[in-house]
Every structure is written in C-alpha cells, then in structure tokens.
Amino acid sequence: MSMDEEFDELTCAQHGKVHTTYVCEHLISDPVQKWHSDYPDAENHWPDAWCEVCNAHYQAEGEWNEHNEDLVPIKLLCHVCYEEMRSASLARITGADYDAWDNFVDACFKELQDKSGLLNQEFSLGSHQRYDWDQETGELVFSNDGVPAVIAKIDFIGSYSSKTNTWLWSWANFHLLEGMRIRVAAVRDYGESHDYPWLTTSKWEAEEGDAWDMAAVAAHVLQAKGVYRSPREGGAGFLLIREISRA
C-alpha cells in the first residue's frame, strides 16, 4: 500500500464506521515511541505515520518513492485507534526530559496567573454581563446592557472535551476559520524544536487541567496578554488574548 494513497471508510470492530489511516506496523505493536508524519490538514486529518526505524528509509531518499516504500511494513488502522495510539505515544518522554517539560509548563502557568491578575485588575473581565466572540472579526467582546465595554483581539488555542476527555489543538481543528488558528501553529513549531509531543500531537487524552497548561504554554510562546476560557456543552474552548482595550 502506497504511503500517499487516499484513505477511505471502514467498519472497526471496536469503533464502528470510521476512516482508514495507514501506519507502519512497528507503531501498532509499540505506539509508545516517536511518530513521524506530516501534520494534519483539511484534506487529511490523520496523515500516514511511521516510526524511527522506518524514518531512516525516508531520510535516505528525502521522500517516499519506489525505492523505499516496499521497505516499510504498512498496516491499515481506524482513525480512532490511530488517535488513541498516537495519544499513548506521549508516554515516551520520561526521566529528565519529562522533568524539563514539567518545569517549563509550571513556569508558563505561573506566568499566565500573573497575566490574568493584571487583566482582571485593569478590565474586570469577570464582572461584565456577557461576552461574545466571533471568528470573522477575531474579537472577544465583553458588554453590559448591550453596550460593549471591553474588546480583545483573539486566537483560538484549542478545545477540551469532557465527553471524550481529550485536548484538540486549534491548528488541527478545521471547523475553525484559518485566521483563528494559523498563529497557534507557532506553538506546534516550538514543540517540534524542543521535542515536546504534547504540542505537536493534534489530539490526546487529557484532563481540563492539561487544557489550562496548554493554554498557558501558548500564551508564553505567543507572548499574549492572557487567556479566556469559553465554556460550552461538553467542555470548553480556550481563547488567546493578543490585544485588549476598553471599547
């Protein structure tokens, strides 16, 4: 099976009707290792993936072609299994590497707490009657009696689902307008350069505390003013505040 063949639908014994994905068999037998792949895009949410061993064949050619495709044992996988296994791969970071990540997240969260204190002190965000955010304008508006009081320029960081207990980065959420998610790809790039798979894995098993941590990391990397949590049925979206002023 070619690494660039289009995926189709199938029926998974565990998950029912699903989309097909293609991964090397080494990832199926041991998902807790580094996954190599392109990033998701609007055409393919679950790009073909391969392990470190198979990546040596890819690097030798700089692409998948007739010389190396037959060297990679490819298996078909349902997209839900793909997401679950890729989420499990985060456990590959252990020891000193995990401690470095944990310390980085703690520092980002403390920084976000300080930023939130300053925002609330100046703009009293929790005291307004309502808020509305709009993808077209890229704005978050706090208002009272129908009159705007505070306006913020925003990006969408990601969303937490309490139904599936997962975090989904905005750069892989193609229901969002591109303008709301494009800048957050810089957080993914930061994760790539530091080998922080929590920042480069589009969807993974999480608790809401993890969602706040990811929002804090995004605020740090993008040097934002702060973060706003937008609750919704079955979870919440996290908005990055780039600029903010009184209306």
Side-chain angles (χ1 to χ4, degrees):
M1 182 65 68
S2 172
M3 291 294 276
D4 60 3
E5 275 194 50
E6 292 184 0
F7 62 88
D8 206 338
E9 291 186 340
L10 60 80
T11 300
C12 173
Q14 184 177 358
H15 300 114
K17 190 175 181 180
V18 293
H19 293 292
T20 62
T21 70
Y22 298 102
V23 304
C24 75
E25 66 179 17
H26 309 122
L27 293 178
I28 296 177
S29 61
D30 179 19
V32 185
Q33 57 177 307
K34 186 169 186 176
W35 287 49
H36 294 270
S37 73
D38 291 333
Y39 283 114
D41 58 33
E43 308 262 314
N44 189 355
H45 299 183
W46 309 280
D48 303 340
W50 55 94
C51 70
E52 193 75 32
V53 171
C54 293
N55 194 54
H57 300 306
Y58 177 85
Q59 293 295 332
E61 295 289 327
E63 62 178 357
W64 292 117
N65 57 37
E66 60 184 8
H67 300 296
N68 59 12
E69 284 183 342
D70 291 341
L71 301 176
V72 180
I74 304 218
K75 297 293 184 181
L76 182 148
L77 195 64
C78 104
H79 82 272
V80 181
C81 292
Y82 176 106
E83 290 177 346
E84 290 176 348
M85 289 183 178
R86 193 147 195 172
S87 177
S89 74
L90 273 59
R92 71 180 177 83
I93 304 297
T94 59
D97 291 335
Y98 182 82
D99 291 341
W101 161 253
D102 197 39
N103 291 336
F104 171 66
V105 171
D106 285 347
C108 290
F109 192 79
K110 175 62 169 62
E111 182 181 292
L112 178 60
Q113 287 180 313
D114 294 341
K115 290 178 177 179
S116 297
L118 292 174
L119 280 182
N120 287 323
Q121 181 179 340
E122 185 172 358
F123 298 102
S124 303
L125 298 185
S127 67
H128 302 289
Q129 290 179 351
R130 65 172 292 141
Y131 74 91
D132 300 275
W133 64 275
D134 182 85
Q135 290 197 56
E136 295 283 352
T137 63
E139 290 184 341
L140 169 66
V141 179
F142 297 88
S143 59
N144 302 292
D145 297 323
V147 179
V150 175
I151 300 176
K153 293 290 186 181
I154 59 170
D155 294 309
F156 197 92
I157 302 169
S159 53
Y160 169 71
S161 170
S162 57
K163 295 179 180 179
T164 60
N165 293 318
T166 53
W167 167 257
L168 173 65
W169 282 104
S170 64
W171 48 261
N173 184 348
F174 302 102
H175 296 294
L176 295 168
L177 295 179
E178 185 177 12
M180 286 293 291
R181 55 185 172 83
I182 188 66
R183 279 176 286 270
V184 180
V187 182
R188 182 188 69 194
D189 296 341
Y190 186 92
E192 189 74 46
S193 64
H194 290 79
D195 195 20
Y196 290 156
W198 296 267
L199 309 184
T200 60
T201 304
S202 59
K203 185 178 182 180
W204 45 275
E205 185 177 344
E207 299 176 352
E208 186 156 0
D210 297 312
W212 274 110
D213 287 343
M214 296 307 100
V217 169
H220 170 77
V221 172
L222 296 171
Q223 299 183 329
K225 301 289 186 182
V227 167
Y228 194 77
R229 177 185 180 275
S230 177
R232 63 186 186 189
E233 183 179 357
F238 288 79
L239 308 175
L240 187 87
I241 298 176
R242 288 187 284 114
E243 302 173 18
I244 187 168
S245 60
R246 298 191 182 280

